Amino acid sequence: MSYDDQNIFAKILRGEIPSIRVYEDDDTLCFMDIFPRADGHCLVIPKTPCRNVLDASEAQLTSVMASVKKVANAAMVGLSADGITIQQFNEGPGGQEVFHLHFHILPRHEGVALRPPGQAGDMDAIKKIAEKIASHIG
Ligand code: AMP
């Protein structure tokens, strides 16, 4: 399986389609999922191409996981979360829909179930939540 640079996250990286950005460094970008399964649902991706964990380099995985940890801790504080679910899918049969490596960060609150996939969120609400997370990233 090869990398297709027309995938939607590659377009977000190139600025061809909009995103609500939470955090970025030289190697990674975190932006909000616009179909949030939990308040604060966001995605961390490498800025360089790879489909998923199966073809990622160790350097890509290392930098992405460092950002996952940074954003997850910021979401814990900024959203007063009780826990964080991290999800990652590989290839279609593994549940992957967008073929640029990404880790889902899903802030969790006691007793609150994840929403079903595919439900569009309110963009103003998502922007406010993104600001709360971003304000706790050092
Ligand atoms: P998956 O490939 O199954 O891990 O999921 C891809 C994720 O990307 C889903 O959670 C979608 O809601 C999310 N998604 C799809 N398009 C966009 C977009 N334009 N901006 C932000 N998130 C998106």
Side-chain angles (χ1 to χ4, degrees):
M1 292 291 202
S2 60
Y3 182 82
D4 175 6
D5 70 3
Q6 293 307 305
N7 76 74
I8 199 152
F9 294 168
K11 291 180 181 178
I12 283 176
L13 277 168
R14 292 194 294 266
E16 293 169 8
I17 62 168
S19 63
I20 300 169
R21 295 181 178 220
V22 177
Y23 171 75
E24 70 180 301
D25 58 22
D26 287 348
D27 302 315
T28 68
L29 171 67
C30 175
F31 57 95
M32 299 303 284
D33 197 304
I34 56 172
F35 301 94
R37 299 197 61 200
D39 290 347
H41 183 177
C42 57
L43 304 165
V44 178
I45 67 174
K47 288 186 172 178
T48 48
C50 62
R51 283 174 69 84
N52 51 44
V53 163
L54 301 173
D55 66 336
S57 68
E58 287 188 17
Q60 285 172 316
L61 293 173
T62 299
S63 58
V64 166
M65 287 313 296
S67 293
V68 166
K69 177 172 173 165
K70 196 172 280 194
V71 175
N73 276 307
M76 283 292 286
V77 180
L79 305 182
S80 300
D82 300 313
I84 301 284
T85 299
I86 292 168
Q87 289 182 325
Q88 191 278 323
F89 306 105
N90 298 278
E91 300 300 332
Q96 187 175 12
E97 293 180 352
V98 179
F99 296 98
H100 181 109
L101 174 65
H102 55 279
F103 284 78
H104 297 254
I105 296 177
L106 295 145
R108 306 300 300 273
H109 290 88
E110 194 69 46
V112 179
L114 292 180
R115 295 189 283 269
Q119 293 185 356
D122 176 272
M123 296 302 268
D124 286 337
I126 293 174
K127 278 182 195 149
K128 287 196 180 97
I129 291 169
E131 285 164 14
K132 283 188 189 171
I133 300 172
S135 69
H136 287 89
I137 299 176

